[in-house]
Amino acid sequence: MMNLKTPAIRSKKLTQAARGQDCTLQIQGICCFNSETVVFAHFPSTTHGMSYKSDDFWGADACVNCHDVIDGRVKYEFGPGEKEDYMLRALHLTLARRIRLGLIQVKGIAS
């Protein structure tokens, strides 16, 4: 079993790559679609705890409005599984973006 107390993976290049990007969460009725407000929003994980953010690859590029909702600073009534759907979609789009930018390398990837 993996030791859950291992330090989180930190990379300023990964988190700073969110700047100027489109929001990948795009929560309906919440997203402001303003790339100037986009930052990297960390999602909960096994390394996430009180005052401790997840790994710097586990999250999404999020506008200020979507980030506030995902982090719970602004209340939003998600339907069953809806929050997780938004998060998984955004995680996929963000990881694909980092791979295309060359910030995450996948061995043997076809171009």
Side-chain angles (χ1 to χ4, degrees), residues 18-84:
R19 292 183 184 172
Q21 298 292 331
D22 290 334
C23 177
T24 56
L25 278 165
Q26 296 184 7
I27 300 170
Q28 189 173 2
I30 296 296
C31 190
C32 67
F33 299 97
N34 183 349
S35 61
E36 292 179 15
T37 70
V38 172
V39 297
F40 187 76
H42 291 83
F43 291 163
S45 73
T46 56
T47 62
H48 180 269
M50 189 67 85
S51 301
Y52 194 70
K53 292 183 180 181
S54 299
D55 297 305
D56 286 347
F57 63 85
W58 194 253
D61 299 340
C63 73
V64 64
N65 292 0
C66 289
H67 195 181
D68 283 345
V69 165
I70 286 297
D71 279 359
R73 290 184 292 272
V74 171
K75 298 295 179 212
Y76 182 82
E77 292 296 322
F78 287 104
E82 185 180 15
K83 181 177 181 179
E84 294 78 10

